[in-house]
Amino acid sequence: MIGILDSGVGGLSVLRHIRAQLPDVGLAYLADQAHVPYGTRSLAEIRQFSEGIVRFLLAQGSQIIVVACNTASAAALTHLRGVFPQTPIVGMEPAVKPAAAHTRTGKVGVLATAGTFESPRYASLMQRYAQNIEVLEDPCLGLVGLIEAGNVAGRETAVLLRTILSPMLAAGVDTLVLGCTHYPFVEPLITQIVAQSAHKPDPFTIIDPAPAVARQTRRVWQENHSTQAPCATNEVHLFTTGNAVQMAALTKQLLGETFQVETAVWQGDILIPA
Ligand code: DGL
C-alpha cells in the first residue's frame, strides 16, 4: 500500500495520477483538514503534523509514502527521511527546473504557498535552476481555502486568480508552475483567464508536476516491491482529520467518483482512527 498525505484535498490531484500509474496498488490518503491551510503555518508545526501523519499511514499498512504537498515537502521532507530511514518517501517541489528549460520569454510564474516560498528548500531550488530566468512568485492567499470549500469555478476564485495572474501576464510570463497540489483543480479557470487576457502569450504553458511525481512513485514502488505480489487490495482508503461527509462530497466533485471517507483524530502529536 502507498500512503499519501496533504493538508487537505490538494493531494488528490496527485492521487489520481498515482492510481493511473499503479492501478493494482492500494492507496491510503490522509487529508489533515483539521489544520488546513499549511501554507501560513510555521515550518516546525508542519514538520510535527507530517511526522504524525506518516506514523498513521504506516500503521495503516503503507510501505512507501508520498508527500503530495509542496508545503509539507518543503518543511518536512528531510526531517521525515531522518525519522523513517526504512521507508521510501517521495516528495514534491515546484517545477522550476522544467519551467526554466521551457520558457521562451525567460519569465516564469510560480504559484505556491507562503510556507513553500519561505523554505530553505525553495531557496536552494531557485539557486540551482533560476539563475537565468526571471521568476514572479505569488503565495495565492486564500486560494487553498476556496478550493477546500469546493469553489473551483466561482466568481470569488476567478477574481482572486485574475488579480494574481494579471501582473504576471503583463510582465511577459509564458510558463506557469503550479507549486501547490491544490491548484491543478483550478487549472481550467486559469486557462480561461489567460485566454481572455489582453497579454495572452502564445504559447502559454501550465506545469503541474503531479504526473512526474506519479511516475517517480511508480519507480520507487517497483524498486522496493517489484518482487512482492501486488497488494491484496487495490482499494483507496481516504481519511480526514476534518469532516468526513464534507470531504466525501468534495472528493466526488473534484475526482468525479464516490469514495467513502473515514475520520482520523489528533490526540496531541498522535493521529488515530476515530
Ligand atoms: N496542497 C499543499 C501544497 O501543495 C498545501 C496547501 C495548504 O495547506 O496551504 O502546498
Side-chain angles (χ1 to χ4, degrees), residues 6 8 21 65 96 114:
D6 183 44
Q21 289 285 335
I65 297 291
V96 173

Side-chain angles (χ1 to χ4, degrees), residues 225-237:
H225 299 96
S226 56
T227 52
Q228 294 181 17
C231 282
T233 164
N234 60 357
E235 281 171 18
V236 179
H237 296 271

Side-chain angles (χ1 to χ4, degrees), residues 5-11 13-14 29 32 35-41 46 67-73 92 111-116 139 144-145 148 178-184:
L5 67 104
D6 183 44
S7 60
V9 291
S13 71
V14 181
Y29 181 93
D32 190 12
H35 295 135
V36 70
Y38 275 10
T40 44
R41 291 179 180 274
I46 299 167
V67 183
C69 175
N70 290 264
T71 313
S73 296
M92 306 191 64
L111 309 185
T113 66
T116 297
V144 166
E148 285 287 322
L178 303 183
C180 166
T181 53
H182 279 75
Y183 303 164

Side-chain angles (χ1 to χ4, degrees), residues 107-131:
K107 293 186 177 148
V108 166
V110 179
L111 309 185
T113 66
T116 297
F117 286 131
E118 285 158 19
S119 67
R121 247 190 133 80
Y122 182 75
S124 148
L125 190 66
M126 293 294 285
Q127 181 74 29
R128 281 176 290 144
Y129 302 117
Q131 294 295 342

Side-chain angles (χ1 to χ4, degrees), residues 56-72:
F56 174 86
L57 290 170
L58 293 175
Q60 300 306 310
S62 301
Q63 293 142 294
I64 74 169
I65 297 291
V66 180
V67 183
C69 175
N70 290 264
T71 313

Side-chain angles (χ1 to χ4, degrees), residues 20-261:
Q21 289 285 335
L22 292 163
D24 295 332
V25 180
L27 305 179
Y29 181 93
L30 187 290
D32 190 12
Q33 291 178 309
H35 295 135
V36 70
Y38 275 10
T40 44
R41 291 179 180 274
S42 74
L43 298 184
E45 210 175 6
I46 299 167
R47 221 167 276 149
Q48 180 194 324
F49 297 149
S50 303
E51 185 179 328
I53 296 168
V54 171
R55 282 192 204 288
F56 174 86
L57 290 170
L58 293 175
Q60 300 306 310
S62 301
Q63 293 142 294
I64 74 169
I65 297 291
V66 180
V67 183
C69 175
N70 290 264
T71 313
S73 296
L77 199 55
T78 310
H79 172 77
L80 293 174
R81 287 179 174 151
V83 176
F84 305 101
Q86 311 297 337
T87 306
I89 303 180
V90 178
M92 306 191 64
E93 63 187 16
V96 173
K97 185 183 176 188
H102 187 84
T103 178
R104 291 187 193 173
T105 59
K107 293 186 177 148
V108 166
V110 179
L111 309 185
T113 66
T116 297
F117 286 131
E118 285 158 19
S119 67
R121 247 190 133 80
Y122 182 75
S124 148
L125 190 66
M126 293 294 285
Q127 181 74 29
R128 281 176 290 144
Y129 302 117
Q131 294 295 342
N132 300 318
I133 55 163
E134 195 181 322
V135 176
L136 285 86
E137 299 166 351
D138 197 295
C140 304
L141 286 179
L143 185 55
V144 166
L146 286 166
I147 295 167
E148 285 287 322
N151 187 345
V152 293
R155 199 184 125 70
E156 206 183 329
T157 306
V159 169
L160 176 60
L161 279 172
R162 212 169 280 126
T163 309
I164 292 165
L165 294 171
S166 295
M168 292 188 175
L169 294 168
V173 162
D174 69 345
T175 307
L176 187 69
V177 173
L178 303 183
C180 166
T181 53
H182 279 75
Y183 303 164
F185 291 121
V186 290
E187 192 175 330
L189 193 51
I190 292 174
T191 304
Q192 198 182 316
I193 291 168
V194 173
Q196 290 163 353
S197 164
H199 302 285
K200 179 189 181 312
D202 190 19
F204 182 79
T205 307
I206 300 174
I207 304 184
D208 170 8
V213 172
R215 288 193 297 274
Q216 171 67 2
T217 303
R218 192 190 60 205
R219 278 191 290 274
V220 170
W221 176 262
Q222 287 171 346
E223 273 163 25
N224 289 278
H225 299 96
S226 56
T227 52
Q228 294 181 17
C231 282
T233 164
N234 60 357
E235 281 171 18
V236 179
H237 296 271
L238 301 187
F239 297 90
T240 179
T241 58
N243 182 310
V245 176
Q246 279 171 19
M247 163 99 177
L250 192 51
T251 304
K252 170 105 172 77
Q253 181 194 343
L254 298 175
L255 297 186
E257 248 183 281
T258 304
F259 293 98
Q260 216 190 321
V261 180

